[in-house]
Amino acid sequence: LYPVELHSLEVLRDSVSMYRKHDCARTKTIQIDDKAADVGFICDKTQLSRIIENMLKNALEASSWSGVVHTGCGPTGDGGVCFWVRNARYIPRNIQLQIFNRSFSTKGVGRGTGTYSMKLLGERYLKGKVDFTSSHDNGTTFSLTLPLKNNQI
């Protein structure tokens, strides 16, 4: 790991900028939430970016033809920083139960390392928490919460 000084909005904007040009976003929109807030912290930028970009790619691939993916970041109530990505699609319960399993994919053979690697990188290496919620009413939101403790600037 190579921890450096980062700012949450800059990291998020960089990832969004890259994915707006990606094939999976061709007919879709990525919107950064108006309430997204900038938090300064120390983290490995490469690993953090991989997680955010994986969340964006998954949300885009699961979205409808002209779907909108919402994303944001900001401080948590307990002194951390959270990044999140949401789309309108519901994940069925049987898939939810397997979502972080290694090699599990709904997208075909040779896929399935995305959510597994998000969990591995986010929790084992960055000491954060990777989670998701999914409901018919609110769609699916993946999040990465990082503790700031000694990492805030």
Side-chain angles (χ1 to χ4, degrees):
L1 293 177
Y2 185 69
V4 295
E5 182 180 319
L6 298 172
H7 293 273
S8 58
L9 271 176
E10 180 181 357
V11 173
L12 186 64
R13 285 180 181 137
D14 287 351
S15 294
V16 166
S17 177
M18 187 177 91
Y19 264 87
R20 280 186 172 141
K21 300 170 193 164
H22 197 277
D23 281 348
C24 63
R26 189 173 308 137
T27 63
K28 300 163 188 173
T29 303
I30 305 172
Q31 291 182 345
I32 297 177
D33 192 282
D34 291 339
K35 296 178 185 170
D38 200 27
V39 178
F41 63 106
I42 306 288
C43 190
D44 182 295
K45 184 176 183 180
T46 301
Q47 304 310 320
L48 174 60
S49 295
R50 283 182 184 164
I51 297 166
I52 296 168
E53 290 162 12
N54 230 315
M55 289 192 293
L56 287 167
K57 183 178 183 187
N58 287 344
L60 287 162
E61 287 179 343
S63 293
S64 62
W65 175 257
S66 60
V68 179
V69 169
H70 299 270
T71 186
C73 59
T76 63
D78 61 353
V81 61
C82 181
F83 294 88
W84 57 267
V85 176
R86 182 182 71 244
N87 71 6
R89 287 279 171 96
Y90 168 72
I91 299 173
R93 184 74 179 142
N94 64 318
I95 294 173
Q96 289 182 38
L97 296 172
Q98 302 177 72
I99 204 93
F100 291 119
N101 290 347
R102 188 176 191 172
S103 300
F104 174 76
S105 177
T106 60
K107 299 172 190 165
V109 177
R111 303 286 303 262
T113 57
T115 54
Y116 174 79
S117 68
M118 286 168 32
K119 190 87 161 164
L120 179 71
L121 295 172
E123 296 186 1
R124 184 176 295 170
Y125 296 108
L126 300 183
K127 307 299 182 207
K129 176 75 175 153
V130 174
D131 207 356
F132 75 97
T133 60
S134 190
S135 71
H136 290 285
D137 292 338
N138 299 313
T140 299
T141 302
F142 276 85
S143 63
L144 167 64
T145 304
L146 299 171
L148 291 184
K149 295 178 190 167
N150 299 323
N151 298 331
Q152 191 167 10
I153 56 171

